[in-house]
Amino acid sequence: MKKKLDVVIIGGGPIGIACALACKKKELTYVVLEKGALCNSLYNYPLNMTFFSTSEKLEIDGIPFISNNPKPTRNEALEYYRRVATSNELNIQLFENVNSILKSQDTFEIISEKTNYSTSNIIVSTGFYDIPKLLNVPGEHLPKVAHYFKEAHPYIMQKTIVVGASNSAVDAALEIWRKGGNVTMVVRGPQIGDRVKYWVRPDINNRINEGSIKALFNAEISEIKEREVIISTPDGTKIIENDFVVALTGYRPNFEFLESLGIQLSKDTKIPNYNEQTMESNVKGLYLAGVICGGTETHKWFIENSRIHATMITEDIKAKISTPHI
């Protein structure tokens, strides 16, 4: 059975939820298709993660977000977005992956694992957390290598290498160390990343300076083996005994999916071609919302500065639907 709708929203994270709320307000028929759980990326964040943003800046549609502290935790954010979705009875279909999208004239035909949909407007708000940036070194396929960090427990009393110097890498290194893990950080640059949370930076620098957490700067892993890791450093090659590698080198949007839809990407940063006033891409009727608008520059868009995309997009769609074709 095919369902005809005004809007199909792909991605059920905070921005997808914001788009659904905006559609409902403007009386547009819509559905949100999410291949995983609600706010799947947030769900896969580390259990003890604290946001950089305050709860007020994570609010959508003016719905208050009350947290125990100014900067909310992962669990508080999940609870907030769950309540927003359920109390507003949003039409969100979870664990429904989109298999294909075809466009014929002004209509998109969307085939999912469960249902077929037809619409003149698609909003892509799929984020960037599903595809890790790989090290592309021998041994990266080994079971001891992870590109996501959930909690420290598996790494206690283990020799663990954490690759990266961003917030996620620093948080993982500190938590593993506090739980009793032996941690070595491998950092491509000369220091901890500039965008690390200001209240965490002194902590990680102090741990490195006192030797509690070892750090190799201007270094890169060249090979991962069952019981050791080979690292290229300014002082030559180092071979370190190792039980686990947690490679937190970042993530990227699904550029292949965007290109399959006909969206043009810039050559260097893969930034999609879209109208900054309406968020409509170079493909008529296909809109982009959230961090996916930033290409490889995933640090430029986040919840607090892309919430407005929902209103911008739905106002443009509503205007098109309300204006009769001449």
Side-chain angles (χ1 to χ4, degrees):
M1 179 180 177
K2 183 186 296 184
K3 296 183 179 180
K4 174 68 176 177
L5 300 165
D6 293 326
V7 186
V8 171
I9 303 163
I10 302 175
I15 303 305
I17 293 173
C19 290
L21 285 167
C23 284
K24 187 172 182 178
K25 274 190 169 184
K26 291 179 170 55
E27 299 182 336
L28 298 170
T29 58
Y30 71 93
V31 66
V32 178
L33 302 181
E34 168 56 55
K35 66 179 180 55
L38 187 70
C39 295
N40 199 59
S41 293
L42 297 188
Y43 170 72
N44 286 304
Y45 281 179
L47 296 179
N48 297 319
M49 193 205 79
T50 298
F51 281 85
F52 187 92
S53 301
T54 61
S55 56
E56 179 184 2
K57 291 182 178 180
L58 297 178
E59 293 175 356
I60 51 178
D61 198 42
I63 301 170
F65 181 175
I66 308 300
S67 58
N68 291 327
N69 296 296
K71 298 181 186 301
T73 65
R74 162 195 176 273
N75 286 347
E76 288 175 323
L78 286 175
E79 178 65 19
Y80 171 73
Y81 294 119
R82 276 199 301 266
R83 290 196 174 275
V84 169
T86 56
S87 63
N88 287 280
E89 299 181 334
L90 299 180
N91 184 17
I92 301 175
Q93 301 301 314
L94 302 175
F95 301 99
E96 184 166 350
N97 192 49
V98 172
N99 291 333
S100 65
I101 299 175
L102 301 174
K103 187 175 185 183
S104 176
Q105 296 181 339
D106 292 333
T107 301
F108 296 96
E109 303 294 339
I110 301 166
I111 300 173
S112 79
E113 293 177 334
K114 300 178 181 179
T115 309
N116 295 343
Y117 303 89
S118 178
T119 184
S120 295
N121 304 283
I122 291 178
I123 303 173
V124 178
S125 60
T126 50
F128 72 106
Y129 198 58
D130 290 330
I131 305 177
K133 296 178 181 177
L134 300 179
L135 301 174
N136 293 314
V137 299
E140 191 170 8
H141 66 283
L142 291 172
K144 72 174 190 174
V145 180
H147 293 93
Y148 295 89
F149 175 76
K150 196 74 172 178
E151 58 179 328
H153 183 77
Y155 307 106
I156 62 172
M157 299 183 288
Q158 300 294 294
K159 297 180 179 67
T160 302
I161 285 177
V162 176
V163 186
S166 63
N167 279 299
S168 57
V170 168
D171 287 346
L174 287 169
E175 188 173 345
I176 292 170
W177 169 73
R178 290 194 182 101
K179 295 296 192 295
N182 182 318
V183 181
T184 298
M185 296 187 73
V186 175
V187 181
R188 178 181 294 178
Q191 62 184 7
I192 295 300
D194 294 335
R195 292 189 292 273
V196 168
K197 291 171 280 196
Y198 65 85
W199 66 91
V200 176
R201 176 180 288 279
D203 191 2
I204 187 63
N205 283 333
N206 288 338
R207 302 295 77 74
I208 291 172
N209 291 337
E210 72 187 15
S212 297
I213 293 175
K214 295 178 285 293
L216 298 174
F217 293 104
N218 297 307
E220 294 186 60
I221 289 178
S222 55
E223 185 175 359
I224 301 170
K225 296 186 176 183
E226 290 283 357
R227 303 301 305 168
E228 59 191 20
V229 171
I230 301 174
I231 303 170
S232 299
T233 78
D235 299 322
T237 299
K238 292 185 180 294
I239 301 176
I240 298 179
E241 289 187 23
N242 172 259
D243 298 305
F244 290 100
V245 175
V246 183
L248 302 175
T249 51
Y251 308 90
R252 68 171 181 85
N254 190 337
F255 299 124
E256 295 77 14
F257 176 64
L258 295 181
E259 289 178 319
S260 74
L261 299 176
I263 296 176
Q264 298 167 351
L265 306 178
S266 65
K267 291 183 179 180
D268 47 358
T269 56
K270 301 286 188 181
I271 294 175
N273 183 345
Y274 64 91
N275 183 319
E276 294 184 0
Q277 279 68 53
T278 66
M279 306 309 294
E280 186 175 23
S281 73
N282 60 280
V283 178
K284 182 181 177 182
L286 205 163
Y287 296 80
L288 304 175
V291 70
I292 200 164
C293 300
T296 59
E297 299 176 340
T298 54
H299 62 280
K300 289 192 173 180
W301 290 105
F302 31 92
I303 297 170
E304 65 184 74
N305 70 347
S306 60
R307 297 175 295 184
I308 188 63
H309 293 173
T311 301
M312 295 165 65
I313 293 169
T314 52
E315 284 181 351
D316 191 61
I317 293 174
K318 186 67 174 180
K320 287 180 179 179
I321 292 176
S322 301
T323 302
H325 293 290
I326 298 176

